[in-house]
Amino acid sequence: MEKIGKIFTALFAVFIVFSIAGKASASELTQKQKESYYNEYVSIIEETNSKYDKDLKIAPIQEFTQEDWKSPEEFKKIVTDMASQEWVPVPKGNDITPFASSVGTKRVTKYLSGVSVEITVTGSFYTVLSGDRQVFGNIQSITSKADKGTWTQLSYSPKLLDLNRTYSIDIGGNFVYNKVTDSTNIHVEFFCTPTGAIN
């Protein structure tokens, strides 16, 4: 019985050791390890910019919080996705604009290391009667925000198409994710229905 107790104690000790080791993460790095990781991050940014002709920027090491520290492999995956993936429109779901409203929303998304990031664009428009239907008059405002990371809208360039029934809009801004900044553009199109609803 004593032998079984010793075996149990030994197994329990091994379990505890592996449990503690399993919980160690990049957020528990020493300062020296963080500096080593950061140097790898800088190299990854430089290589990625060169490969994809981008201008990604990394924040200073002192701005990194615990959740920002990733393994170099995961950091590289995030940065590669930021550089190589385009923002793509999200199919309309249940966010259809109410009847006769002059406000519409559009969403674009991309995946960064398997994580879906969305930017929602809200457009407020004046519509006018043209013949027997409503068409776009002009824009009151265009605003946008991201559900993850930080998106700062800097500019937008609208173009009217399809006899003023469609607004094609390019939006420029800075997207920051995991302390990496990407100066990028997103594209959305708003449609004015005959009754003035915005889709």
Side-chain angles (χ1 to χ4, degrees):
M1 192 73 176
E2 186 179 343
K3 188 176 180 181
I4 292 174
K6 286 181 179 177
I7 292 172
F8 177 76
T9 302
L11 288 174
F12 183 73
V14 169
F15 173 76
I16 292 295
V17 168
F18 277 100
S19 295
I20 292 171
K23 290 180 181 176
S25 67
S27 64
E28 298 164 353
L29 297 170
T30 65
Q31 185 59 31
K32 189 172 181 179
Q33 289 171 319
K34 287 178 180 178
E35 290 170 3
S36 175
Y37 270 33
Y38 188 80
N39 288 334
E40 290 192 59
Y41 292 174
V42 170
S43 295
I44 289 168
I45 291 288
E46 289 173 352
E47 291 170 9
T48 304
N49 282 339
S50 176
K51 181 175 181 180
Y52 293 98
D53 193 26
K54 296 288 287 185
D55 188 27
L56 301 178
K57 294 178 174 63
I58 188 168
I61 189 171
Q62 59 269 23
E63 292 184 15
F64 275 65
T65 60
Q66 280 196 341
E67 56 268 22
D68 293 323
W69 292 106
K70 304 283 192 288
S71 70
E73 293 77 16
E74 187 175 357
F75 184 84
K76 183 173 183 177
K77 174 63 175 162
I78 290 170
V79 171
T80 300
D81 287 347
M82 286 181 75
S84 64
Q85 290 196 28
E86 298 293 331
W87 292 97
V88 296
V90 177
K92 290 294 263 186
N94 56 5
D95 60 346
I96 295 175
T97 307
F99 181 76
S101 172
S102 61
V103 175
T105 59
K106 291 287 183 176
R107 293 177 295 149
V108 295
T109 188
K110 69 162 60 176
Y111 285 85
L112 304 178
S113 191
V115 177
S116 172
V117 180
E118 286 188 357
I119 295 177
T120 301
V121 179
T122 302
S124 180
F125 306 91
Y126 288 114
T127 62
V128 295
L129 189 63
S130 175
D132 59 352
R133 65 160 290 143
Q134 291 289 116
V135 297
F136 285 114
N138 55 37
I139 296 174
Q140 289 178 279
S141 65
I142 298 292
T143 59
S144 52
K145 63 179 180 179
D147 66 345
K148 299 178 188 69
T150 304
W151 165 254
T152 304
Q153 178 178 310
L154 300 176
S155 64
Y156 67 88
S157 176
K159 183 184 293 185
L160 275 169
L161 308 170
D162 190 28
L163 301 176
N164 295 355
R165 298 172 188 173
T166 302
Y167 248 126
S168 174
I169 304 174
D170 290 313
I171 302 170
N174 289 331
F175 177 65
V176 183
Y177 188 84
N178 216 92
K179 292 297 185 286
V180 177
T181 301
D182 182 17
S183 298
T184 188
N185 290 290
I186 59 177
H187 178 80
V188 293
E189 290 188 350
F190 290 94
F191 306 96
C192 181
T193 69
T195 57
I198 309 301
N199 291 327

